[in-house]
Amino acid sequence: MYGKHHRPQPDEVEFILCVKHGWLRVPMWRPFVADISRQASAEALRPIIFRRILKEHVSQVLERVVRYPNLADYQRLVDGLNSALVFLNGRKLSWVTFSEMGHALISPARASPDLLVSLGQLMGAAQAINVIFGYAQEAPAPCFCSMCWRFVLNGNKHCRVHRVPIGGVSEEQSHQLRPRSDDYWFGRKLSPQFTDHLRRLSNQARKEKLRSWWKEAIDAGQIVPWLERYRPLTLQLVVRRVGSFEGAAALPTLIQALDDHDLEVGVLREQRSAFHRSLLDERKAVFDLLLRAEAWLSAAAERRAGWGGSRVGAGRPEKRLKRPAVEIEMP
C-alpha cells in the first residue's frame, strides 16, 4: 500500500487495520501493533518473527489478566490466552496456521470477549501488515516454471533457463547458444517424462506421508540424510554446486542452490533474496521444490540414457553372414 520511501507509523497502521480490515481496536494490544510496525518498517514480517513478538505480548497480557479474577469473562480470557500460548509454543508456523488459530479465538458462536476477538483478528492480519508496508511484491506467492522446478516471480510461465526463444531461434541455433542441453527445446521434449515422474513421486509422497517426514527432518536438523534417502539426484546436484552443507545453513543453502537465477541483478536479485528468506518458513513450498527437482532430474537422466550409443538398439546393425548357396545334385 505504501512505498519504500514512506514507512507508516503505528497510528496509521491501526487506522488502516480498523477501516480496511475491520480490526476491533483494544488498548491492551496497541503495544503489540507498535512493535510489529517497528519490525515491519525494517523488513517484511516472517512467521517466526511475528510469533516471537506475539508470544511476548500475549504473556504480558495474560499476567495482567490473572491479577484481576473478578473481571467479566475472566475464565474465558485466561483459557483463550493460554490456548494462544500453547499454539505459539508449538511447531506450526505459517501464515495459514496463524489465521486458523485467530479464527478459533474469535469464536462468534460463543460470543468471545473483545480482547480475544481483537487478538484473533491480529493473528490473521500479519500479511495485511506486510502489504501496508509495501512488501506485497517482494514476497510473491510461490509459482513454478512449467518446465522445471525453479520459481518465477514475475508472472511468467517459464524461468530464464526455459524461456521461449525470442525472434524465432531454431532448435539447432538454441543448442549452439546453450550447449548444456537444458533449454526451451529440451524442456519441451522432456515435458511428458517430467510429468510422468512428477506423478510417480507425488503418489509416493502421499502414500509414505513424506511431507510430515520432511518437516520432522527440518526440526531435527536431518535435512541431508532425508535427501539421501528420498531425493538423491537433487542432493547430488546441490553438492556439485556448493559442496557439502549441513547445520543451520542447510535449508537456505539448499533453496539458493536449487532456485538459481545467476542472470538476475539489481532489484530482481533483491526480490529473489527476499523471496528465499520467506521460503524458510514455507516448508510446503520447499518440499514441492525438491519434488519437482527430483522429478526433472530423473526424467532428464532417463532421456539422456537414450541418446546416441546409449539407447537400446543404437549403433550399426550387425552384419548377417550370407548363407552359402545350396548345391542341388542332379541325379
Side-chain angles (χ1 to χ4, degrees):
M1 181 175 293
Y2 287 90
K4 290 184 177 181
H5 301 293
H6 177 81
R7 293 306 188 197
Q9 298 301 309
D11 287 344
E12 294 179 86
V13 176
E14 287 185 16
F15 177 78
I16 295 171
L17 289 177
C18 290
V19 173
K20 187 172 183 179
H21 301 282
W23 177 48
L24 179 64
R25 183 170 4 196
V26 171
M28 288 183 100
W29 296 122
R30 296 192 70 186
F32 169 65
V33 174
D35 279 356
I36 286 296
S37 300
R38 282 191 289 269
Q39 177 65 38
S41 67
E43 61 177 345
L45 290 175
R46 293 188 290 131
I48 191 170
I49 301 298
F50 184 75
R51 178 174 69 173
R52 177 179 60 77
I53 300 175
L54 182 57
K55 182 178 177 181
E56 176 184 344
H57 284 274
V58 170
S59 298
Q60 292 174 358
V61 170
L62 179 60
E63 289 178 3
R64 293 174 63 182
V65 168
V66 296
R67 296 191 194 124
Y68 301 95
N70 294 326
L71 282 174
D73 295 316
Y74 171 80
Q75 195 58 50
R76 284 203 291 170
L77 287 172
V78 172
D79 291 344
L81 293 171
N82 275 323
S83 67
L85 285 177
V86 170
F87 165 77
L88 295 171
N89 286 324
R91 292 183 176 181
K92 295 181 179 180
L93 190 65
S94 71
W95 296 131
V96 173
T97 53
F98 274 116
S99 181
E100 290 174 349
M101 185 61 196
H103 284 300
L105 287 174
I106 293 172
S107 206
R110 298 198 303 269
S112 295
D114 287 353
L115 185 71
L116 296 183
V117 171
S118 181
L119 173 61
Q121 290 176 327
L122 288 173
M123 291 181 76
Q127 288 181 298
I129 294 174
N130 271 335
V131 174
I132 293 171
F133 280 84
Y135 294 114
Q137 295 182 351
E138 293 188 9
C143 181
F144 291 105
C145 169
S146 65
M147 288 190 178
C148 70
W149 66 86
R150 296 176 183 87
F151 289 103
V152 290
L153 306 184
N154 50 10
N156 290 334
K157 187 177 180 181
H158 303 113
C159 64
R160 288 180 176 270
V161 175
H162 298 115
R163 185 171 294 176
V164 180
I166 300 175
V169 176
S170 68
E171 181 175 358
E172 182 179 353
Q173 291 173 320
S174 178
H175 282 308
Q176 291 173 353
L177 294 172
R178 191 182 188 87
R180 293 189 302 169
S181 299
D182 181 9
D183 55 12
Y184 170 77
W185 298 107
F186 180 81
R188 194 170 76 171
K189 291 181 178 179
L190 187 67
S191 182
Q193 289 168 284
F194 175 43
T195 301
D196 184 51
H197 281 272
L198 194 59
R199 183 172 57 252
R200 293 182 198 172
L201 289 178
S202 297
N203 289 337
Q204 179 200 22
R206 184 172 56 256
K207 291 178 181 178
E208 300 185 21
K209 299 181 179 180
L210 294 189
R211 291 185 185 275
S212 296
W213 290 113
W214 167 241
K215 292 178 181 179
E216 292 184 10
I218 294 176
D219 293 333
Q222 296 295 309
I223 290 178
V224 173
W226 189 92
L227 293 174
E228 288 176 342
R229 181 172 182 179
Y230 297 111
R231 302 289 181 259
L233 295 180
T234 304
L235 176 60
Q236 291 174 20
L237 175 66
V238 174
V239 170
R240 283 199 303 269
R241 290 180 175 177
V242 302
S244 60
F245 63 101
E246 57 185 10
L251 188 58
T253 300
L254 181 67
I255 294 170
Q256 187 171 358
L258 288 176
D259 193 37
D260 60 323
H261 293 262
D262 295 336
L263 298 178
E264 290 182 344
V265 296
V267 175
L268 293 178
R269 182 175 290 276
E270 292 178 6
Q271 290 178 352
R272 182 72 56 179
S273 297
F275 175 67
H276 286 173
R277 289 194 296 271
S278 72
L279 283 181
L280 296 176
D281 302 313
E282 297 293 339
R283 298 179 180 183
K284 179 183 182 299
V286 179
F287 181 89
D288 291 337
L289 170 71
L290 296 172
L291 188 147
R292 291 180 68 88
E294 190 73 15
W296 192 96
L297 293 169
S298 299
E302 182 179 86
R303 180 171 179 79
R304 288 172 179 142
W307 283 0
S310 300
R311 69 180 186 276
V312 177
R316 295 182 179 179
E318 185 177 336
K319 292 184 178 180
R320 295 183 178 179
L321 296 176
K322 293 184 178 180
R323 297 178 62 182
V326 179
E327 296 183 358
I328 300 177
E329 294 183 356
M330 297 296 293

